[in-house]
Amino acid sequence: MLSILAAGSIFFPGLFLLSKRCLKHAPGLGLSEGDAAIVSARLVSSIQAIMASSAGYIIASSCEDIIEDQHWLTSTYILFAVPYFAYDIYAMFLCYWHKLQVKGHEEEGGRPKPMGSAVASYLRREFLMVLHHVVMVTICFPVSVFWRQGKGDYFQGVMFMAELSTPSVCLGKILIQYKKQHTLLHKVNGALMLVIFFICRVLLFPYLYYAYSRYASIPLYTVPLGAPWQCNVGAFCLMAPQVYWFTLICRGAFRLFTGASDSRPPAPLNKPDGGCCPGQGDALPPPANGYSPVPYQADRETDTH
């Protein structure tokens, strides 16, 4: 167990550092420190998502009995991936910090942001995403490895496949970062992200209830009544943020395909008490989704993962 945790703890930060170095020094690219960090964080997120989805497909497709069948990859990948969520909290802050520094240079003559204020602003701005990551490490990890007692590997595999939406979310952020949000690629990716996110994250939990109803040969509406309350509470807590993020994506996609943002005047860059430090008036990066719900905000800057 410890060796697998150690492998994940080395792999994800190591991949981030290697990717950042390559992007900074690759001929023809030569990205800045901030741009390289932001792109690298999204690249690592996409790779983790592909690995998780692949593992989930292998697990789910190998389980004929959705309750009793087990697959060695289930606990192995959970242990390997847990360090990713801890790393990603830091990676998200690093991206946020670099963007704040760019704003500071553009708007305040190069004056650096206080680290304490940046951390507080980051936690306030990305509270839901950080909470999601913390819950994955502190609650979902012990539940998945110990509390299940080897039951329900099929359900765990299906939940891994929720990560299928992550690469398209990351691509959308990169396109916004380089101001390509008006291209055909961005629109196609936006439509794809909308469909995949809805199927893999919003419909995920209703499908799990449906799968159990078929397995137990009981009506679907009776599954929540017969399931342990911990399962119902856990499903609700995991599904609620997915629905919230999906609404943000829908709002962004609506503006993207209707051109609603083009008909509104740009939001002012300096808003009273809008930055990371009271009174400095810095416009903050939008929340963690591929398409910001704030008009024009997504056109000027990208968001954190």
Side-chain angles (χ1 to χ4, degrees):
M1 178 183 292
L2 292 179
S3 61
I4 300 174
L5 283 170
S9 300
I10 294 171
F11 177 78
F12 294 110
L15 182 60
F16 171 77
L17 294 174
L18 177 63
S19 174
K20 187 173 72 168
R21 182 177 181 84
C22 292
L23 290 172
K24 287 175 61 178
H25 300 289
L29 289 178
L31 299 184
S32 66
E33 177 75 18
D35 284 347
I38 293 170
V39 174
S40 297
R42 288 162 188 166
L43 177 63
V44 173
S45 295
S46 297
I47 292 175
Q48 191 282 140
I50 293 171
M51 294 172 63
S53 302
S54 300
Y57 176 78
I58 293 171
I59 295 167
S61 61
S62 68
C63 293
E64 296 183 4
D65 188 309
I66 65 174
I67 300 297
E68 299 296 335
D69 284 357
Q70 298 182 10
H71 195 286
W72 66 268
L73 192 54
T74 307
S75 296
T76 301
Y77 191 77
I78 291 172
L79 290 168
F80 181 75
V82 160
Y84 164 79
F85 293 98
Y87 141 81
D88 198 45
I89 292 176
Y90 171 75
M92 288 192 298
F93 172 73
L94 190 63
C95 296
Y96 188 85
W97 171 254
H98 279 300
K99 284 179 283 188
L100 287 181
Q101 297 310 298
V102 170
K103 288 182 177 299
H105 282 288
E106 290 178 350
E107 300 171 14
E108 299 181 13
R111 186 172 65 184
K113 305 290 185 183
M115 178 63 72
S117 298
V119 171
S121 175
Y122 162 71
L123 293 176
R124 182 174 61 251
R125 189 73 174 179
E126 298 295 345
F127 173 78
L128 187 58
M129 183 65 75
V130 172
L131 178 63
H132 172 267
H133 281 41
V134 170
V135 167
M136 293 297 292
V137 175
T138 60
I139 299 178
C140 294
F141 165 61
V143 166
S144 298
V145 175
F146 304 110
W147 185 75
R148 289 191 309 115
Q149 298 181 343
K151 304 288 186 179
D153 279 19
Y154 172 83
F155 295 102
Q156 193 68 58
V158 173
M159 292 183 70
F160 283 164
M161 289 191 284
E163 292 291 335
L164 273 172
S165 63
T166 298
S168 59
V169 173
C170 291
L171 176 59
K173 296 174 183 178
I174 292 175
L175 291 173
I176 293 174
Q177 178 180 349
Y178 289 99
K179 304 187 185 304
K180 302 296 184 181
Q181 61 268 37
H182 301 300
T183 62
L184 177 61
L185 175 60
H186 183 69
K187 294 182 178 182
V188 171
N189 181 71
L192 186 64
M193 179 178 69
L194 189 69
V195 173
I196 296 177
F197 196 98
F198 178 70
I199 294 174
C200 294
R201 290 184 179 264
V202 178
L203 292 184
L204 170 66
F205 297 99
Y207 169 76
L208 294 179
Y209 280 84
Y210 168 74
Y212 184 79
S213 73
R214 291 190 59 187
Y215 170 81
S217 299
I218 60 177
L220 177 60
Y221 69 87
T222 64
V223 175
L225 302 177
W229 67 267
Q230 298 94 330
C231 294
N232 292 323
V233 171
F236 174 80
C237 291
L238 289 174
M239 184 177 178
Q242 311 303 329
V243 174
Y244 169 72
W245 287 323
F246 181 68
T247 60
L248 296 184
I249 292 173
C250 287
R251 291 167 60 187
F254 175 78
R255 286 193 311 277
L256 178 68
F257 291 104
T258 61
S261 61
D262 295 334
S263 63
R264 303 184 184 184
L269 286 176
N270 295 318
K271 298 180 181 179
D273 299 329
C276 70
C277 305
Q280 290 183 352
D282 300 319
L284 293 175
N289 58 80
Y291 294 83
S292 168
V294 181
Y296 276 87
Q297 197 81 334
D299 295 349
R300 292 196 305 270
E301 57 189 304
T302 184
D303 46 54
T304 56
H305 171 66

